[in-house]
Amino acid sequence: MNNSITDILAVEDIEQKFEDIERVLGDVFPQARISRAKTVVEATDQLRDGEWQLLILDISMDIAPSASGPARGGHANLGGMDVVEEMFLTEREVPTVIVTGFDYFITTRSDLSSDAQTFSDIEAQAARWLGGSLLGCIRYGISGWEPKLRDALEKLA
C-alpha cells in the first residue's frame, strides 16, 4: 500500500458517515491528515486552495448560505456532482472515490419538473468528467461497503 498519501479531503456532511469513512482511511493511510468539508461551498474552496492527494466525495450534500446557494442554506441532491463538474471545468485532477448513501437522486430541471438519476447514472457521469482520476463509486451503508472502499483506495498503490 502507498503510505505516501498524506493529505486527504473528505467531503461529507453526515457525522456518522464521516467517522466511518475516516476510520477506513486511517487504517489504510495511518500517516495521512484527513480534512473535512461539510458543504459544497467548503469543498470547492478547499479543493481550490489545497494540494490534495485523495478526495472522498459525497453526492447529496448540504449547501452553505452563499451567493451560489439558497439564502438560508439547504440541501442539494447532486451537490457533490457540482464539485465533480468544477474539477472537470478547471482541469483539476485528484484521485477521487465517491461514497454515497443513496441509490437514486431526484433532480429538479429548469422547467420545474423532476427527474431521477440512479447510482449508475452518477457513476457514469463522474467517469466522463473525472476519467482515470475516478477510483470508484461506493454505495455506503450496504453490506460490504468498507471492503469496496479499501479496494478503491488500493488503486493508489
Side-chain angles (χ1 to χ4, degrees):
M1 178 57 51
N2 182 350
N3 288 321
S4 65
I5 299 296
T6 58
D7 290 302
I8 300 170
L9 177 60
V11 180
E12 178 54 58
D13 56 340
I14 305 295
E15 191 66 35
Q16 183 61 55
K17 186 175 160 195
F18 171 74
E19 290 173 5
D20 291 343
I21 291 168
E22 182 180 42
R23 181 176 30 79
V24 173
L25 290 170
D27 289 346
V28 176
F29 303 114
Q31 303 302 317
R33 178 180 62 92
I34 303 167
S35 297
R36 180 179 182 192
K38 294 181 181 180
T39 68
V40 173
V41 173
E42 285 178 16
T44 302
D45 289 347
Q46 288 189 43
L47 270 170
R48 181 184 57 240
D49 296 338
E51 291 298 322
W52 306 103
Q53 296 167 314
L54 175 63
L55 173 66
I56 304 296
L57 181 63
D58 188 17
I59 294 299
S60 184
M61 292 290 303
D62 280 342
I63 301 172
S66 72
S68 62
R72 293 186 199 150
H75 202 81
N77 283 339
L78 293 171
M81 290 305 287
D82 292 343
V83 174
V84 171
E85 183 177 21
E86 176 77 15
M87 291 169 64
F88 172 74
L89 294 173
T90 60
E91 298 180 350
R92 183 75 191 254
E93 293 185 19
V94 177
T96 301
V97 179
I98 293 174
V99 182
T100 186
F102 296 99
D103 287 327
Y104 70 93
F105 306 84
I106 301 298
T107 60
T108 302
R109 299 187 326 223
S110 59
D111 63 3
L112 300 180
S113 63
S114 15
D115 250 341
Q117 289 190 353
T118 66
F119 179 84
S120 295
D121 295 334
I122 296 301
E123 186 172 24
Q125 182 62 51
R128 283 190 295 275
W129 282 344
L130 297 176
S133 293
L134 181 64
L135 303 177
C137 288
I138 294 149
R139 172 67 169 79
Y140 171 81
I142 62 169
S143 177
W145 77 269
E146 289 182 42
K148 288 180 183 176
L149 177 56
R150 288 177 196 277
D151 288 346
L153 297 174
E154 287 177 5
K155 294 177 183 177
L156 292 174

